Amino acid sequence: MAPRQIWTLYIHEIRSALRERSILIGSILIPLVMYPALLWAGFAGVSFVQGQAERLTSQVAVHGLPVTHRALVDSIESNGRTVVIEWDDDPAAAREEVARGSLDLLVEFRTVADGAAALDENFQVAIYYNGAQDRSRGARSRVESAIETYRRNWIDTARRDLGIPNPVWADFAMARSDVATVEESTRFLLAMIVPFLTLIMVALAAFYPAIDATAGERERSTWETLMTLAVPRSHVATAKYLYVATFGAMGGLLNLAALTLSLRWILQPLAGADAQELAQGGLPLETLPIIAVGTALLGLFVAAGMLVFAVFARNFKEGQSMITPFYLVVILPAIFVQSPDIEFSVGLALLPVVNVALLLREAIMGSVPLLPGLLTLASMAVCVAVAVGFAQWVMRNEEVLLGSSQGGLWSFLKRRIGQGRAAA
Amino acid sequence: MSNARRGTTNGAPVRTEGLTKVFYDENRGEVRAVDRVDLTCRQGEILGLLGANGAGKTTTLRMLSTVLQPTSGRAWVMGHEVRDQPERVRASLGFYSASTALYPKITPRETLRFFARMNRYPARQVDERVEELVRRFRIQDYADTRVEKLSSGMKQKVSIARTVVHDPPVLIFDEPTVALDVLNAIELRQFIAQLRGEGKAILFSTHIMSEAEQLCDRIAIIHHGEILATGTLDELREATGLHYLEEIFVHYAQVDDPAQAAEEQLR
């Protein structure tokens, strides 16, 4: 009897919710369409801005350039996006221009005192740039690169003139090579993005259903109608909880599905022709069950937490203000997973929400450490049970049921503690 | 129903014994909203609960419908005690009030089906019962339209059908006409009278004297949470020597200055 009643109540909640526009938008449409679209727009925007910055011509002042190194000017101007201005006045004036932004860079050459350098005509360069200006930072990067190339060639010529063989010189050479495959690089990128988006999506998708299931009932004056049903109150609470959890988990999973399907399209602005190859290294199929379980656990936890806060609200506005702090606390762990240095340790596996975010990150990277993985499942199961138990306890309270409770969860707990002390 | 339970309720579908509800208010301290109320409602009878706003009518009915738990005292509905068997109590009654609205996003037909199932109407007969009520209340034309799109008169019909869909032997109407226009109020009163004819035990709370005079078989006058008198209109007239119910109410409530009493009520 109990499962059938809970099922009927659950279906009733779901049916009403699917006919509510705000819930449809927040829990289905946004996870499915908006975030993939926003990501694409974000990447396209970054790519566009970079392209615009690269097309800009930099004004670079050069002061004290030795006559023997005049070829360096050609080297700096060779990229076609840098104009060199010979600055014969006081360099302090040029530094001020850079600070004001009317000049992008000042390159100040300083001759080395006689006998202090191994090579004649050696020089030192001081570059003044404006770190607050994108154009100035870009010019610095290009000019540094040009000077480095010139310096290397000039030293190489001097080496030959001095009769030093190249292999001896080359002993100091440094080479670098990326050993990661395209697939691994894509997974790394996804591991940084997906847990963050999943957390936001689950919390967002559960947000409106949690308010609808509690404050919404009061606002529509259907709460008392519901309380007169011939079923235990715990069934009503369970059905509401399952409804909110379903929407939370569904939001997360829909977002994952949308991301997977639109990966190539999202990466296009960043990777161009390589997007197809990058997209092929997307979410590994074997990790999808782990990701699904993690998302479901998040949905179950977030639903219980949100119901505990929302049950005190008498209308949608109160519901929003009561849930928002919890929403922010839930998405805060996203910061953790953004740092690849944070290890999925046993300690972090016991921390709710953070553990699931890290579990998702590891799953996408292709390897979930067994002990932290199992501890995450156990820890989240315990947290969900405690949160659901607490939500049921709060919802059984008469003043909460009737919406006559003043304030939110903290005021309620304070009163309960006060009453307990008075009774003692 | 067991013989023991029949004994407890003396065969009456609804009975209360010393029913009391005390609320705690941060500003006012303990508030005794209902104080030792003894009531009995028989089969085929409309018992009116007559009192001013804040007299304790709604709290009494909420305790009977198990929405609230009594602080002390007991109450039985069809032999089921409200604290011990709340689900059975709720299955035995239909509750209608201004605060029991309908779900706006579902249709009348879905509403009736949902409430019949949840209130333990035999599963196989649910559809038949729903169609019977759709015909009886003449809601065929909008039975599949979402409630949010219905007029208030249409909603009222659906709401009454929702209250009786599981065919409960006890019905509670808490100030049912308070938000209705004259015609809808008349229609509702006619329907309640019909239900009495079908043998239902009906508790009807109101602060409108004429409504109580017209509809109720017996009237219980409640004031400041206490039942001051219970009887038929004739019995109350005889006991007080007064003719009009309004005068009888003022007599029992010992209200010398109605304006001052209303002011106190607001406080």
Side-chain angles (χ1 to χ4, degrees), chain A residues 184-202:
Chain A
E184 285 166 340
S185 300
T186 313
R187 283 185 184 191
F188 176 79
L189 183 67
L190 288 175
M192 297 296 110
I193 298 171
V194 170
F196 173 70
L197 279 181
T198 306
L199 273 174
I200 292 179
M201 277 304 114
V202 168

Side-chain angles (χ1 to χ4, degrees), chain A residues 51-310:
Chain A
Q52 292 292 309
E54 278 165 12
R55 273 195 285 277
L56 290 172
T57 303
S58 307
Q59 307 280 323
V60 175
V62 173
H63 177 76
L65 177 70
V67 181
T68 47
H69 290 299
R70 290 215 61 82
L72 181 56
V73 172
D74 299 333
S75 178
I76 291 172
E77 285 182 330
S78 65
N79 59 30
R81 284 182 283 120
T82 309
V83 172
V84 172
I85 302 161
E86 302 264 355
W87 193 277
D88 298 327
D89 301 339
D90 183 5
R95 283 199 288 274
E96 277 172 25
E97 297 271 332
V98 173
R100 276 202 300 273
S102 46
L103 260 181
D104 293 319
L105 211 67
L106 168 68
V107 182
E108 197 178 334
F109 288 85
R110 292 160 185 174
T111 49
V112 181
D114 284 347
L119 298 172
D120 290 338
E121 295 159 354
N122 201 355
F123 61 88
Q124 287 179 342
V125 176
I127 294 178
Y128 295 92
Y129 70 103
N130 186 340
Q133 300 278 345
D134 241 8
R135 288 163 52 120
S136 183
R137 288 201 305 270
R140 188 200 72 181
S141 162
R142 285 195 296 275
V143 168
E144 271 180 355
S145 170
I147 294 175
E148 174 59 19
T149 307
Y150 177 84
R151 189 187 67 86
R152 222 176 22 247
N153 293 337
W154 180 67
I155 290 173
D156 205 39
T157 309
R159 172 189 64 77
R160 276 199 304 273
D161 294 348
L162 290 169
I164 301 170
N166 191 39
V168 174
W169 203 255
D171 277 350
F172 299 99
M174 186 176 69
R176 65 178 177 201
S177 169
D178 185 1
V179 295
T181 61
V182 172
E183 188 183 47
E184 285 166 340
S185 300
T186 313
R187 283 185 184 191
F188 176 79
L189 183 67
L190 288 175
M192 297 296 110
I193 298 171
V194 170
F196 173 70
L197 279 181
T198 306
L199 273 174
I200 292 179
M201 277 304 114
V202 168
L204 184 71
F207 194 91
Y208 284 106
I211 300 172
D212 174 64
T214 49
E217 293 270 14
R218 294 213 175 91
E219 207 163 68
R220 295 187 295 260
S221 298
T222 49
W223 187 263
E224 201 163 333
T225 318
L226 199 66
M227 291 300 112
T228 59
L229 291 179
V231 292
R233 299 275 149 76
S234 58
H235 289 13
V236 175
T238 305
K240 285 188 175 295
Y241 168 65
L242 290 175
Y243 150 53
V244 180
T246 301
F247 271 80
M250 188 171 69
L253 291 171
L254 281 176
N255 184 59
L256 276 174
L259 268 178
T260 308
L261 293 174
S262 58
L263 200 58
R264 188 161 72 93
W265 183 63
I266 291 171
L267 294 174
Q268 189 81 41
L270 275 187
D274 297 334
Q276 176 80 48
E277 198 183 353
L278 276 174
Q280 277 168 358
L283 291 175
L285 281 179
E286 65 275 15
T287 61
L288 288 182
I290 299 174
I291 294 172
V293 169
T295 308
L297 281 174
L298 268 181
L300 289 167
F301 178 77
V302 167
M306 285 192 169
L307 277 180
V308 166
F309 284 95

Side-chain angles (χ1 to χ4, degrees), chain A residues 41-54:
Chain A
F43 285 155
V46 167
S47 175
F48 175 75
V49 170
Q50 276 174 352
Q52 292 292 309
E54 278 165 12

Side-chain angles (χ1 to χ4, degrees), chain A residues 5 8-9 12 16 19-20 217 220-222 224-233 398 402 415, chain B residues 21 26 62 66 68-69 87 90-91 99-106 110 114-115 118-120 146:
Chain A
Q5 287 176 334
T8 308
L9 279 162
H12 165 72
S16 295
R19 293 175 184 175
E20 187 74 52
E217 293 270 14
R220 295 187 295 260
S221 298
T222 49
E224 201 163 333
T225 318
L226 199 66
M227 291 300 112
T228 59
L229 291 179
V231 292
R233 299 275 149 76
E398 206 165 74
L402 290 179
R415 273 199 305 278
Chain B
K21 183 68 188 179
E26 278 182 8
R62 279 179 169 168
T66 77
L68 287 176
Q69 281 227 341
E87 288 88 41
R90 293 199 286 270
S99 58
T100 51
L102 297 166
Y103 285 93
K105 296 289 171 188
I106 59 176
E110 287 167 344
F114 171 68
F115 280 92
M118 296 318 298
N119 288 327
R120 305 182 181 189
R146 284 188 201 174

Side-chain angles (χ1 to χ4, degrees), chain B residues 47-100:
Chain B
L47 174 70
L49 210 51
L50 183 69
N53 289 334
K57 304 186 295 289
T58 299
T59 306
T60 304
L61 298 180
R62 279 179 169 168
M63 282 192 281
L64 275 171
S65 61
T66 77
V67 171
L68 287 176
Q69 281 227 341
T71 308
S72 63
R74 307 191 79 187
W76 295 266
V77 173
M78 297 306 291
H80 308 299
E81 214 281 324
V82 291
R83 256 187 294 221
D84 300 340
Q85 297 168 297
E87 288 88 41
R88 285 180 184 274
V89 168
R90 293 199 286 270
S92 305
L93 59 81
F95 188 90
Y96 179 103
S97 83
S99 58
T100 51

Side-chain angles (χ1 to χ4, degrees), chain A residues 1-19:
Chain A
M1 191 70 173
R4 194 192 301 164
Q5 287 176 334
I6 292 171
W7 176 252
T8 308
L9 279 162
Y10 171 74
I11 292 297
H12 165 72
E13 296 280 357
I14 296 278
R15 179 185 289 138
S16 295
L18 288 175
R19 293 175 184 175

